[in-house]
C-alpha cells in the first residue's frame, strides 16, 4: 500500500551546518530581518520568541507566514537573543539569533567658544557616544593637536588653557569616530582687550513690595574682567549690609526689602581698559494684606453666612488689584454659583441657606502686579444629629429589656443625650411617649417596663442644635400582666348637698393598670366612731354616698384591683361630708374711725359648730344713710368687702367725709353666706374740701385785680373760709414769694387785691377750708396793666335778646375798651349762665351820628350781618350734629368767673369724657363706679365684689359708688364769637 511517511521538522535556513546559533548585527534606527525556513511532515509550525534582553511590549511583526521576523526602527532595547522554533507532532527544531545593535557617534557635549579676556582661563569639553565607542581627536585650526607641543592640558574629553593671551585666539575642534561614521564640532575662541560694556539699559525702573526680594540687573562684558560695585543715592560707598548680595553676573539682590530701600542705585564696572556705570530706580510698595471675617464661623444648617474679605494694598497697585475666592482649593466663579445658592460680590461671599455640603475652607486670594496674598476661613456647619440606627433588644425580662442602637452623625455638635420613647398598641396606639433619657454618647440603656403592654421603642438624639428625627421603631416586645403596682391619687370629697358625700379620685392611667379587669375598692367610715369599714367595688372613679350627717369627717381608702390581684395597702384620706350655710351671725360688731375716709370694723367670730362647713371668711357690708352737712337722706346703696380666713377686723377705705353710715358683718363657707349681724351706725368726721370749681379774674388794673371763685364741688364739712395766695411769675423758672390773704367769711366768693406792681405777671391760688383744714387750690394767671394806662372802669348795660348791636354812650374817644357780652337765662329770679363773648375795641368820636347815617355804611353793615348770620347757621348745624369745640382748653386760658360759677352750680364739675374707674378702688354691689382715695394703709382691707384682699391684707380689689356724668360743654371764649345757647 502507498502511504506518506511522517518525519520531524528540519531547518533549511539557517542550515544545520550553521549550528544551533548565529550572530546578527544591525544599525540603530535600521530594520532587523531574521529568516527561518523548515521542512517536515506534517508541515512544521514556526514561532518566534525573545530569550534574553528587554522583552518587547508588543508581539513582534512576522512576514511570509511567520518565516521572517521584522523590526523597524531598531533601538538599543531590541538587542538580545531571539529564538526560532519549528514544531510538528513528530518533533521540533530551533535556532537562536544573537542580535547586536550598533550606532554611529552622537554628541553628549560639544565644545563652546566665546570671547575671553586676557589672563582668563579656558576649558573646552567634548563628549560623544556610539557603538562601538567612538574615539576622540582634538584639532587646532583644522590640524591635530600635538600634546607634546601644546602649552595647555589635553585629554580624551577636555582641553584647557590658563592665562589666555591674544595669540591664543583660534578655532578648536573635536572629532569623534567609529566604524559607522565621524562627527566634528568647532569652538571659536577670541581673546580680546575690551573696556567694560554694560548690556543692561540705563535708568531701568524696578518695583517690589515690603518683605520681598528686589533684583537690580547689571550685565557686564569686559576684557579683562571688570570689578562691579553698587552704590545708592549718589553715595560713593559700596553697599555692604547682610541684606545686599552681589551675584556673579552683576545682579544686586536686596533681601527682605523695607520702605527705606526705595531710591536710585548705581552699578559701576571697571577694568584695566576703562570703567562704566548705569543707574536703576527702585520703588518699594506696601505689601497686600487680607483678613477674612469671621475666621472660624459655626453656622446652623439653613441659616445664612456672610464672609467678608478685608484687603489692604498699595494705592499705586490699585489698577492691577484682583480678588477671587476658592473653596477647598477649587476656584469659585466670580458670579453666583450653584444656581445662586453661593453669591459672590467682590469682597463678600454670601450663602443665604447653608447646607452640610457648604462646610469647608474658604480662601480669599488677592493679587497685584507685584505680590499676592491669601486668607482663609473655616466654615463649620451645625445641624441636628442624624437619626440613630439599627435598634436591637436584648436581656429580655418581665419588667425590663435592654435597648441598643448606633448613633448617627452628630454634624459638628456632640450628642449630649438620647431620648428613648415608647408606643404601645393596646391602650393608646400610635401615641409615642418618653420613657427614659441617657447622657452623652451612650448607645445602650436598660429600660424599666410596665406589665400588660405591647411595646415598641425609638430613639431621638439631642445636641446643642436640637433634636434629631426619631429612629425607625424597634421590634415589638410584650410584657405579661400583673397585679396593680399603685393606688389612685388625689382622693377628695365633694358634695353639693348637706347630707351627701361624693368621693372622687384620679383614675389610674392605662399603662398603670397592669392587667385586665381594673376596678376600685372604696372603703369609708366616720372618723372617731368605732364601726366597721363600709366597702364598695366600682369601675368608675367616683362614689356618691347619701344620708350622711352634715359636715363630719370620714376616713376614706381607695385601692386598685384587677384580675391578677390587688394593689398595695392604700393610705387613709380624711374628707368631710356636705356643708350647709352658716346658721349664726357675728356678734360684737363695732367701728373705729381712723380718719374722714377710713374706718376699722371689729367683730367676734361665730362658733365652729355654727359654721357648718369650712370657714372661708367674713363679708363686711356698708351703705351711706345721710350727709351730716345738709341732713339729706340717701337711698341705700350697699357696698361690701370680703376678708378671707378667720379674721376679726378689717379696714373700709374710700368713705365720704362728714356722713352717716351703717355696717353689717356675715360669715360664709363653701356653701354660701350666713345671716347678717345687726347693723351698726357710725359717722365720718369732717374732711378738707375739694378744689374750688374755678378761679377767675374779673378786672385788672395797673396795681390791683378783682378775683372771683366758685364753691368746692364737695365741701366735706362746714366751710370756715378761704385762703387766697398770689406770687409774681415770669417767663423763666424763677418765681416770687407766695403771699397769703385769709378770708374768714365762707360766703365771700370774690376779692380785690391791691398793692400789685404794674406790668407784672401774677399767679393766684384759692383754697376752701373747713375745721379739718384747707383743700387743693384752684389757680389762675394774669398780667397787670402798664404804668400810665387807664384803669378798667366797668360799665354794664342790660341788652334785650332781639337787637344785633347796642350803642354804648359815655365812652371816652380814643380809649381802648374790652367789651364782654354775657348771655343769661332767668329762672325763679336766678340767673343761669349760658355763654360769654369778649372782644376789644377803641371808641371814636361822632362815629354813631356821622357814619351810621351814610348809605355806604348801612350797606356794609347789612353785608356783615348777612355773613354773620350765615356763620351762625353753619355753627348751629354742626353743634346739633354733635360737633364739639375744645372748650376746656379755652376756659383754662381765658376763664370767666361769673359764667363758671353759675354753670358749676347747675351741672357739676366739667369733664372731657366719662370718668374712668381708678385702679385700686372698691366695687359697689350695682357695679357703678365712683373714684375714691385714701393715704391709709390697706393691710386690713377686704375683698370687693370684683376684687379681693389677700390674707396678708394686700388690696387687690376695686371699690365704686355712683358715677357722675360730665357737665354740658360751654362754648364761651374771649377771642371767638361762637353761637350761643338761647
Amino acid at each position: 500500500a502507498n502511504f506518506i511517511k511522517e518525519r520531524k521538522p528540519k531547518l533549511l535556513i539557517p542550515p544545520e551546518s550553521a549550528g544551533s546559533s548565529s550572530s546578527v548585527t544591525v544599525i540603530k534606527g535600521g530594520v532587523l530581518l531574521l529568516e527561518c525556513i523548515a521542512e517536515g511532515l506534517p508541515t512544521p509550525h514556526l514561532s518566534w520568541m525573545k530569550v534574553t534582553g528587554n522583552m518587547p511590549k508588543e508581539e513582534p511583526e512576522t512576514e511570509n507566514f511567520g518565516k521572517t521576523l521584522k523590526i523597524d526602527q531598531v533601538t538599543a532595547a531590541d538587542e538580545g537573543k531571539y529564538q526560532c522554533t519549528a514544531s510538528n507532532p513528530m518533533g521540533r527544531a530551533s535556532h537562536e539569533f544573537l542580535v547586536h545593535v550598533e550606532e554611529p557617534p552622537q554628541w553628549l557635549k560639544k565644545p563652546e567658544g566665546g570671547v575671553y579676556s586676557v589672563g582668563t582661563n579656558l576649558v573646552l569639553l567634548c563628549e560623544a557616544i556610539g557603538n562601538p565607542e567612538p574615539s576622540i581627536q582634538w584639532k587646532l585650526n583644522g590640524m591635530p593637536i600635538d600634546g607634546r607641543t601644546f602649552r595647555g592640558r589635553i585629554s580624551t574629553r577636555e582641553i584647557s588653557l590658563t592665562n589666555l593671551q591674544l595669540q591664543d585666539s583660534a578655532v578648536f575642534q573635536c572629532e569623534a569616530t567609529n566604524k559607522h561614521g565621524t562627527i566634528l564640532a568647532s569652538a571659536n575662541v577670541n581673546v580680546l582687550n575690551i573696556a567694560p560694556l554694560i548690556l543692561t539699559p540705563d535708568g531701568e525702573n524696578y518695583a517690589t513690595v515690603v518683605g520681598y526680594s528686589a533684583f537690580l540687573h547689571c550685565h557686564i562684558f569686559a576684557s579683562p574682567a571688570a570689578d562691579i560695585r553698587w552704590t545708592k543715592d549718589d553715595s560713593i560707598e559700596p553697599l555692604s549690609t547682610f541684606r545686599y548680595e552681589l551675584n556673579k553676573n552683576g545682579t544686586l539682590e536686596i533681601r527682605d526689602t523695607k520702605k527705606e530701600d526705595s531710591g536710585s542705585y548705581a552699578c559701576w564696572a571697571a577694568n584695566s581698559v576703562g570703567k562704566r556705570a548705569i543707574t536703576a530706580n527702585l520703588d518699594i510698595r506696601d505689601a497686600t494684606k487680607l483678613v477674612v471675617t469671621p475666621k472660624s464661623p459655626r453656622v446652623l444648617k439653613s441659616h445664612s453666612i456672610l464672609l467678608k474679605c478685608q484687603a489692604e494694598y498699595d494705592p499705586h497697585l490699585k489698577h492691577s488689584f484682583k480678588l477671587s475666592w476658592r473653596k477647598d482649593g477649587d476656584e469659585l466663579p466670580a458670579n453666583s454659583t450653584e444656581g445662586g445658592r453661593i453669591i459672590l460680590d467682590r469682597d463678600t461671599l454670601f450663602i443665604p441657606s447653608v447646607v452640610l455640603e457648604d462646610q469647608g475652607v474658604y480662601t480669599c486670594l488677592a493679587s497685584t502686579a507685584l505680590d499676592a496674598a491669601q486668607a482663609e476661613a473655616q466654615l463649620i456647619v451645625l445641624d441636628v444629629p442624624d437619626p440613630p440606627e439599627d435598634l436591637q433588644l436584648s436581656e429580655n425580662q418581665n419588667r425590663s429589656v435592654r435597648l441598643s442602637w448606633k448613633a448617627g452623625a452628630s454634624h459638628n455638635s456632640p450628642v449630649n443625650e438620647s431620648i428613648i420613647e415608647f408606643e404601645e398598641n393596646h391602650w393608646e396606639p400610635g401615641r409615642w411617649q418618653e420613657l427614659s433619657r441617657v447622657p452623652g454618647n451612650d448607645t445602650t440603656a436598660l429600660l424599666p417596663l410596665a406589665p400588660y403592654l405591647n411595646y415598641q421603642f425609638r430613639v431621638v438624639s439631642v445636641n446643642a442644635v436640637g433634636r434629631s428625627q426619631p429612629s425607625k421603631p424597634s421590634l415589638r416586645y410584650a410584657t405579661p400582666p400583673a397585679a396593680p403596682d399603685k393606688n389612685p391619687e388625689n382622693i377628695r370629697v365633694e358634695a353639693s348637698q348637706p347630707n351627701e358625700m361624693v368621693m372622687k379620685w384620679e383614675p389610674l392611667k392605662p399603662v398603670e393598670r397592669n392587667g385586665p379587669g381594673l376596678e376600685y375598692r372604696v372603703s369609708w367610715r366616720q372618723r372617731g366612731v368605732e364601726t366597721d369599714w363600709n366597702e364598695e367595688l366600682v369601675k368608675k372613679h367616683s362614689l356618691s354616698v347619701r344620708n350622711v350627717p352634715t359636715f363630719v369627717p370620714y376616713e376614706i381608702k381607695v385601692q386598685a384591683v384587677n384580675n391578677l390581684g390587688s394593689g398595695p395597702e392604700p393610705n387613709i384620706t380624711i374628707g368631710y361630708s356636705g356643708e350647709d350655710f352658716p346658721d349664726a351671725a357675728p356678734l360684737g360688731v363695732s367701728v373705729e374711725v381712723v380718719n374722714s375716709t377710713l374706718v376699722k370694723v371689729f367683730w367676734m367670730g361665730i362658733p365652729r359648730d355654727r359654721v357648718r362647713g369650712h370657714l372661708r371668711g367674713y363679708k363686711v357690708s356698708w351703705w351711706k344713710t345721710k350727709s351730716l352737712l345738709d341732713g339729706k337722706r340717701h337711698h341705700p346703696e350697699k357696698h361690701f368687702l370680703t376678708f378671707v380666713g378667720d379674721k376679726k377686723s378689717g379696714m373700709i377705705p374710700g368713705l365720704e367725709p362728714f356722713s352717716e353710715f351703717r355696717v353689717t358683718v356675715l360669715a360664709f363657707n363653701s356653701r354660701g353666706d350666713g345671716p347678717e349681724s345687726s347693723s351698726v351706725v357710725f359717722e365720718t368726721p369732717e374732711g378738707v374740701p375739694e378744689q374750688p370749681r374755678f378761679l377767675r379774674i374779673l378786672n385788672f388794673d395797673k396795681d390791683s385785680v378783682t378775683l372771683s371763685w366758685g364753691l368746692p364741688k364737695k365741701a366735706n364739712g362746714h366751710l370756715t373760709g378761704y385762703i387766697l395766695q398770689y406770687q409774681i411769675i415770669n417767663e423763666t423758672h424763677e418765681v416770687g414769694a407766695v403771699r397769703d390773704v385769709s378770708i374768714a367769711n365762707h360766703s365771700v366768693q370774690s376779692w380785690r387785691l391791691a398793692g400789685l406792681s404794674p406790668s407784672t405777671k401774677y399767679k393766684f391760688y384759692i383754697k376752701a377750708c373747713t375745721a379739718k383744714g384747707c383743700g387743693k387750690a384752684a389757680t389762675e394767671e394774669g398780667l397787670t396793666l402798664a404804668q400810665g394806662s387807664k384803669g378798667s372802669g366797668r360799665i354794664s348795660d342790660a341788652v334785650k335778646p332781639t337787637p344785633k348791636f347796642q350803642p354804648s354812650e359815655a365812652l371816652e374817644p380814643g380809649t381802648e375798651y374790652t367789651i364782654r357780652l354775657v348771655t343769661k337765662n332767668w329762672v325763679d329770679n336766678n340767673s343761669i349762665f349760658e355763654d360769654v363773648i369778649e372782644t376789644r375795641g377803641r371808641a371814636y368820636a361822632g362815629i354813631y351820628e356821622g357814619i351810621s347815617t351814610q348809605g355806604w355804611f348801612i350797606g356794609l353793615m347789612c353785608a356783615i350781618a348777612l355773613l354773620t348770620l350765615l356763620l351762625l347757621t353753619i355753627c348751629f348745624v354742626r353743634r346739633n350734629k354733635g360737633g364739639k369745640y375744645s372748650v376746656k382748653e379755652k376756659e383754662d386760658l381765658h376763664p370767666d368767673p361769673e359764667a363758671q360759677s353759675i354753670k358749676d352750680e347747675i351741672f357739676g364739675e366739667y369733664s372731657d369724657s366719662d370718668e374712668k374707674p381708678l385702679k385700686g378702688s372698691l366695687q359697689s354691689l350695682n357695679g357703678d363706679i365712683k373714684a375714691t382715695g385714701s393715704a391709709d394703709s390697706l393691710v386690713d382691707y377686704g375683698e370687693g365684689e370684683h376684687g379681693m384682699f389677700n390674707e396678708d391684707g394686700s388690696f387687690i380689689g376695686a371699690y365704686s359708688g355712683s358715677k357722675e356724668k360730665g357737665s354740658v360743654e360751654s362754648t364761651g371764649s374771649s377771642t371767638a364769637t361762637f353761637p350761643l345757647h338761647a
Side-chain angles (χ1 to χ4, degrees):
N2 295 326
F3 64 90
I4 299 175
K5 185 178 179 179
E6 296 179 344
R7 57 183 183 273
K8 66 179 182 180
K10 179 182 178 181
L11 292 176
L12 301 179
I13 298 176
E16 290 183 353
S17 59
S20 61
S21 65
S22 59
S23 179
V24 178
T25 299
V26 64
I27 300 299
K28 181 181 179 182
V31 179
L32 173 65
L33 294 173
L34 301 178
E35 189 174 23
C36 190
I37 300 176
E39 65 175 359
L41 284 176
T43 302
H45 170 72
L46 292 175
S47 63
W48 293 88
M49 67 176 295
K50 189 175 184 182
V51 180
T52 63
N54 295 327
M55 302 301 291
K57 294 181 180 179
E58 298 180 358
E59 189 72 22
E61 180 184 356
T62 60
E63 296 178 349
N64 194 18
F65 302 103
K67 296 177 182 178
T68 304
L69 175 68
K70 180 181 180 182
I71 300 178
D72 293 322
Q73 294 292 325
V74 173
T75 66
D78 295 324
E79 192 172 66
K81 186 184 292 186
Y82 293 82
Q83 186 180 61
C84 169
T85 301
S87 60
N88 67 9
M90 299 305 293
R92 56 186 296 170
S94 63
H95 185 82
E96 291 182 351
F97 298 90
L98 185 59
V99 177
H100 300 280
V101 178
E102 295 184 353
E103 60 179 320
Q106 292 185 20
W107 291 117
L108 288 180
K109 177 69 175 178
K110 294 192 294 184
E112 296 180 359
V115 178
Y116 294 86
S117 302
V118 174
T120 60
N121 299 324
L122 170 68
V123 176
L124 299 177
L125 297 177
C126 181
E127 294 182 9
I129 59 172
N131 190 5
E133 182 179 355
S135 61
I136 301 296
Q137 172 69 51
W138 285 97
K139 295 182 178 182
L140 181 64
N141 294 329
M143 301 299 293
I145 297 176
D146 185 354
R148 293 173 296 175
T149 61
F150 185 64
R151 77 176 186 87
R153 295 175 60 245
I154 187 170
S155 65
T156 301
R157 60 182 299 274
E158 180 180 296
I159 187 171
S160 63
L161 285 172
T162 59
N163 191 21
L164 289 174
Q165 300 299 315
L166 294 176
Q167 58 270 25
D168 290 325
S169 297
V171 177
F172 290 83
Q173 295 173 308
C174 176
E175 185 180 77
T177 304
N178 68 6
K179 67 179 183 178
H180 298 294
T182 300
I183 57 176
L184 182 68
S186 300
N188 295 319
V189 175
N190 295 303
V191 182
L192 302 172
N193 269 336
I194 301 176
L197 178 63
I198 302 178
L199 304 178
T200 303
D202 187 21
E204 195 83 354
N205 293 316
Y206 299 89
T208 189
V209 296
V210 174
Y212 281 52
S213 293
F215 296 90
L216 307 183
H217 301 297
C218 186
H219 296 303
I220 306 296
F221 178 77
S223 181
D227 294 327
I228 300 175
R229 65 185 177 92
W230 284 85
T231 62
K232 181 176 184 290
D233 295 335
D234 299 327
S235 173
I236 62 174
E237 296 296 327
L239 301 174
S240 59
T241 67
F242 71 94
R243 293 193 300 113
Y244 299 97
E245 181 177 345
L246 182 62
N247 297 330
K248 291 181 180 181
N249 61 3
T251 298
L252 175 64
E253 179 183 358
I254 307 175
R255 293 186 294 269
D256 189 22
T257 55
K258 305 180 185 302
K259 293 288 284 187
E260 53 266 26
D261 291 329
S262 296
S264 178
Y265 291 79
C267 174
W268 293 88
N271 64 5
S272 59
V273 181
K275 64 179 180 179
R276 296 284 190 276
I278 62 167
T279 59
N281 300 313
L282 177 62
D283 288 324
I284 306 297
R285 306 301 188 193
D286 291 326
T288 302
K289 298 178 183 179
L290 294 180
V291 175
V292 176
T293 55
K295 181 70 174 175
S296 301
R298 298 171 66 87
V299 183
L300 295 179
K301 179 185 174 184
S302 301
H303 285 224
S304 64
I305 177 63
L306 177 68
L307 297 180
K308 177 76 172 178
C309 184
Q310 298 172 322
E312 293 182 7
Y313 53 88
D314 195 287
H316 297 87
L317 305 176
K318 177 180 180 181
H319 296 293
S320 64
F321 178 79
K322 294 180 180 179
L323 203 63
S324 62
W325 288 89
R326 290 182 181 177
K327 179 183 182 292
D328 296 331
D330 297 328
E331 186 169 356
L332 297 174
N335 53 1
S336 300
T337 66
E338 299 186 26
R341 205 176 55 76
I342 299 179
I343 301 172
L344 301 180
D345 184 12
R346 297 180 181 175
D347 58 349
T348 61
L349 184 150
F350 179 63
I351 307 177
S353 181
V354 172
V355 297
L356 294 175
E357 291 74 18
D358 292 327
Q359 180 167 301
V361 177
Y362 290 81
T363 306
C364 176
L365 300 98
S367 64
T368 66
L370 298 179
D371 68 339
Q374 68 180 42
E376 296 179 348
Q378 174 76 43
L379 173 60
I380 297 175
V381 180
L382 306 176
D383 195 10
V384 298
D386 286 343
E389 300 175 342
D390 193 20
L391 273 63
Q392 300 292 331
L393 297 176
S394 61
E395 302 179 21
N396 301 349
Q397 302 292 329
N398 289 346
R399 293 293 188 100
S400 66
V401 70
R402 180 169 292 279
L403 176 66
S404 304
W405 63 91
K406 292 181 181 178
S410 63
H411 298 306
N412 301 309
S413 179
V415 174
N416 49 45
E417 71 173 347
S418 296
I419 302 173
I420 302 170
E421 299 176 336
F422 76 93
E423 179 263 354
E424 55 83 24
N425 60 3
H426 182 61
W427 302 106
E428 296 177 290
R431 179 172 178 257
W432 288 92
Q433 305 175 60
E434 183 176 320
L435 177 62
S436 178
R437 295 192 178 209
V438 294
N441 290 320
D442 290 352
T443 56
T444 182
L446 186 64
L447 305 178
L449 305 179
Y452 197 51
L453 294 176
N454 190 19
Y455 287 95
Q456 67 175 347
F457 307 98
R458 70 183 186 186
V459 183
V460 176
S461 296
V462 182
N463 63 8
V465 180
R467 298 166 60 125
S468 73
Q469 290 295 316
S471 67
K472 293 181 179 179
S474 69
L475 297 176
R476 286 202 174 269
Y477 182 70
T479 55
D485 292 326
K486 61 180 297 186
N487 292 314
E489 297 177 346
N490 192 20
I491 300 171
R492 61 200 182 277
V493 175
E494 297 178 2
S496 59
Q497 301 299 325
N499 300 112
E500 181 185 46
M501 181 171 65
V502 180
M503 293 167 281
K504 295 184 178 182
W505 56 89
E506 295 294 332
L508 294 184
K509 298 177 182 177
V511 296
E512 298 171 340
R513 298 190 174 198
N514 286 9
L518 178 67
E519 293 181 303
Y520 300 101
R521 182 182 292 117
V522 185
S523 305
W524 72 94
R525 67 182 179 186
Q526 189 171 338
R527 188 180 185 186
V529 178
E530 293 294 334
T531 181
D532 294 334
W533 287 91
N534 299 288
E535 191 173 284
E536 189 167 335
L537 205 60
V538 297
K539 293 184 178 181
K540 57 184 180 179
H541 51 279
S542 66
L543 176 62
S544 178
V545 179
R546 300 186 182 277
N547 300 320
V548 294
T550 300
F551 196 66
V552 296
Y554 278 83
E555 296 177 344
I556 303 168
K557 298 189 296 184
V558 181
Q559 186 179 33
V561 180
N562 66 15
N563 292 347
L564 283 86
S566 302
E569 180 63 26
N571 297 324
I572 296 177
T573 300
I574 305 299
Y576 284 80
S577 57
E579 299 183 32
D580 204 348
F581 299 107
D583 62 358
L587 301 176
V589 178
S590 63
V591 177
E592 175 187 312
V593 176
V594 178
N595 56 38
S596 60
T597 62
L598 179 68
V599 299
K600 187 171 185 179
V601 182
F602 299 88
W603 62 88
M604 295 172 58
I606 67 175
R608 289 290 181 185
D609 59 341
R610 306 296 296 276
V611 176
R612 302 205 293 180
H614 295 289
L615 178 65
R616 298 302 183 192
Y618 291 88
K619 293 182 181 178
V620 177
S621 301
W622 72 95
W623 61 95
K624 181 178 177 180
T625 55
K626 69 176 181 180
S627 169
L628 298 180
L629 183 63
D630 56 10
K632 183 179 179 182
R633 288 282 173 179
H634 283 256
H635 177 72
E637 184 179 346
K638 272 196 171 184
H639 312 273
F640 74 94
L641 284 174
T642 299
F643 297 89
V644 177
D646 192 12
K647 297 289 184 66
K648 300 297 189 297
S649 64
M651 306 286 281
I652 301 178
L655 301 174
E656 291 188 31
F658 209 45
S659 301
E660 179 185 272
F661 292 87
R662 286 185 176 270
V663 64
T664 62
V665 183
L666 62 82
F668 68 96
N669 59 18
S670 300
R671 176 77 170 157
D673 296 343
E676 283 187 309
S677 67
S678 300
S679 64
V680 174
V681 178
F682 67 92
E683 296 178 353
T684 53
E686 289 189 67
V688 297
E690 293 186 1
Q691 177 181 321
R693 297 174 187 270
F694 65 87
L695 175 61
R696 298 291 182 260
I697 299 174
L698 294 181
N699 187 28
F700 244 129
D701 206 340
K702 61 180 180 296
D703 59 355
S704 66
V705 64
T706 302
L707 300 171
S708 174
W709 57 88
L711 293 171
K713 183 178 179 181
K714 290 185 179 180
N716 292 336
H718 296 291
L719 292 181
T720 59
Y722 297 90
I723 297 295
L724 177 61
Q725 299 173 309
Y726 62 99
Q727 64 183 148
I728 296 175
I729 61 174
N730 51 33
E731 301 303 326
T732 67
H733 295 292
E734 298 177 2
V735 296
V738 177
R739 300 182 180 181
D740 294 349
V741 176
S742 181
I743 304 172
N745 188 348
H746 66 84
S747 60
V748 172
Q749 289 183 249
S750 63
W751 195 266
R752 182 176 180 274
L753 277 176
L756 303 182
S757 301
S759 300
T760 303
K761 190 174 184 180
Y762 284 87
K763 186 169 185 178
F764 304 95
Y765 310 82
I766 188 68
K767 301 177 184 178
C769 302
T770 64
K772 184 68 174 180
C774 298
K776 185 179 178 181
T779 64
E780 182 62 290
E781 297 177 5
L783 183 69
T784 55
L785 298 179
Q787 185 71 32
S789 300
K790 297 197 176 191
S792 54
R794 184 167 182 174
I795 302 173
S796 297
D797 291 327
V799 182
K800 294 183 179 181
T802 304
K804 296 297 185 293
F805 62 91
Q806 172 70 19
S808 181
E809 301 179 357
L811 300 181
E812 185 176 345
T815 303
E816 187 178 272
Y817 290 88
T818 297
I819 309 299
R820 177 181 293 150
L821 175 63
V822 180
T823 64
K824 295 184 179 180
N825 285 337
W826 295 87
V827 179
D828 297 334
N829 294 325
N830 292 319
S831 64
I832 300 177
F833 165 77
E834 285 292 342
D835 220 330
V836 175
I837 302 174
E838 185 176 286
T839 187
R840 302 182 71 85
R842 186 179 300 274
Y844 295 92
I847 186 171
Y848 184 69
E849 293 85 4
I851 298 178
S852 60
T853 59
Q854 302 298 317
W856 65 268
F857 179 75
I858 296 174
L860 177 62
M861 289 299 101
C862 289
I864 293 175
L866 287 174
L867 290 175
T868 303
L869 180 61
L870 178 61
L871 177 62
L872 292 174
T873 303
I874 293 172
C875 292
F876 179 76
V877 170
R878 287 187 60 191
R879 174 64 58 85
N880 287 345
K881 286 185 177 181
K884 292 186 178 182
Y885 297 89
S886 183
V887 179
K888 189 173 190 303
E889 294 181 4
K890 292 181 172 61
E891 288 183 352
D892 290 341
L893 292 173
H894 305 281
D896 185 273
E898 180 182 358
Q900 184 67 31
S901 174
I902 300 173
K903 183 180 71 171
D904 286 345
E905 291 175 2
I906 302 301
F907 300 110
E909 187 176 350
Y910 172 83
S911 173
D912 279 340
S913 61
D914 291 345
E915 295 177 353
K916 305 297 182 183
L918 297 178
K919 183 177 180 181
S921 63
L922 301 177
Q923 194 76 7
S924 71
L925 291 174
N926 61 12
D928 290 336
I929 299 172
K930 178 179 180 181
T932 61
S934 173
D936 298 287
S937 170
L938 300 180
V939 172
D940 295 320
Y941 295 171
E943 302 167 357
E945 187 178 50
H946 298 286
M948 300 182 67
F949 284 84
N950 292 328
E951 292 188 5
D952 62 356
S954 59
F955 182 54
I956 58 174
Y959 165 80
S960 72
S962 62
K963 177 173 69 175
E964 296 192 11
K965 299 292 183 179
S967 64
V968 176
E969 287 185 331
S970 167
T971 58
S973 171
S974 61
T975 58
T977 57
F978 297 137
L980 306 178
H981 290 291

